[in-house]
């Protein structure tokens, strides 16, 4: 009989490999990383519904969800694949996940940014940190010195000290 502790890493690895193979424009079966792909944007209500259904919590220092207020945590205009990536992370890790940053203003700019719906910040926990360190590949320091880890599907986890800054290029094998 296969134990639950043995089965979880195997299923996680399978999900990550499938995510890498089938990620649009990124995976081995994709049509090329340079091709632009349309993304589905969510409202704050749609994203919170998805997170609630998966047992993912969220919080903000300002206790609000206004996208234009940097002390809020907003999911307005979050990419659907980003929300699905958080759900995949939750199911793969079994860890409690708390989102502390979404699409609100105040984060660094760029194509794959919080504002553009590609990033989420997760509060640090021993469970999540151990999972990232054990399941993903260390790929070096980001320009600002944050250690980075890459999942099998290509998503990037950066340790920013008090939280994980995650860039979702795809849903992580959803």
């Amino acid at each position: 009989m296969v134990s639950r502790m043995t089965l979880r890493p195997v299923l996680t690895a399978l999900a990550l490999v499938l995510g890498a193979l089938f990620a649009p424009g990124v995976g081995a079966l994709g049509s090329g990383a340079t091709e632009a792909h349309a993304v589905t944007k969510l409202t704050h209500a749609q994203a919170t519904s998805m997170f609630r259904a998966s047992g993912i919590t969220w919080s903000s220092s300002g206790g609000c969800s206004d996208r234009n207020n940097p002390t809020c945590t907003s999911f307005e205009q979050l990419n659907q694949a980003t929300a699905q990536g958080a759900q995949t992370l939750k199911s793969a890790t079994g860890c409690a996940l708390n989102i502390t940053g979404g699409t609100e203003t105040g984060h660094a700019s760029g194509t794959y940014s919080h504002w553009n719906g590609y990033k989420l910040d997760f509060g640090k926990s021993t469970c999540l940190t151990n999972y990232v360190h054990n399941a993903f590949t260390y790929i070096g320091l980001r320009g600002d010195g944050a250690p980075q880890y890459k999942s099998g599907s290509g998503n990037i986890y950066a340790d920013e000290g008090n939280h994980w800054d995650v860039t979702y290029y795809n849903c992580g094998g959803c």
Side-chain angles (χ1 to χ4, degrees), residues 76-166:
E76 194 66 37
Q77 295 297 303
L78 186 69
N79 295 340
Q80 183 176 21
T82 301
Q84 290 170 326
Q87 290 178 306
T88 300
L89 181 64
K90 170 67 177 170
S91 64
T93 65
C95 299
L97 295 181
N98 183 58
I99 301 171
T100 59
T103 60
E104 66 280 350
T105 191
H107 298 280
S109 61
T111 301
Y112 297 103
S113 64
H114 282 273
W115 183 262
N116 288 336
Y118 288 92
K119 287 188 166 208
L120 290 172
D121 289 341
F122 294 95
K124 284 287 246 343
S125 71
T126 301
C127 181
L128 180 57
T129 297
N130 287 345
Y131 183 84
V132 171
H133 288 174
N134 292 320
F136 302 150
T137 303
Y138 176 72
I139 59 169
L141 300 177
R142 200 167 61 182
D144 62 0
Q148 298 180 105
Y149 298 81
K150 188 173 188 176
S151 72
S153 61
N155 297 322
I156 306 293
Y157 292 69
D159 184 344
E160 292 191 349
N162 64 350
H163 67 273
W164 284 99
D165 175 79
V166 183

Side-chain angles (χ1 to χ4, degrees), residues 16-31:
L16 295 173
V17 168
L18 290 174
L21 285 174
F22 295 102
V26 176
L29 303 178
S31 57

Side-chain angles (χ1 to χ4, degrees), residues 9-93:
V10 171
L11 292 176
T12 299
L14 178 60
L16 295 173
V17 168
L18 290 174
L21 285 174
F22 295 102
V26 176
L29 303 178
S31 57
T34 58
E35 182 178 327
H37 294 278
V39 295
T40 300
K41 297 291 187 176
L42 301 175
T43 64
H44 183 80
Q46 289 171 320
T48 58
S49 177
M50 291 175 69
F51 297 145
R52 194 174 290 110
S54 294
I56 298 170
T57 60
W58 58 94
S59 58
S60 74
S61 59
C64 50
S65 62
D66 180 352
R67 179 169 159 85
N68 295 303
N69 182 338
T71 66
C72 297
T73 297
S74 175
F75 305 122
E76 194 66 37
Q77 295 297 303
L78 186 69
N79 295 340
Q80 183 176 21
T82 301
Q84 290 170 326
Q87 290 178 306
T88 300
L89 181 64
K90 170 67 177 170
S91 64
T93 65

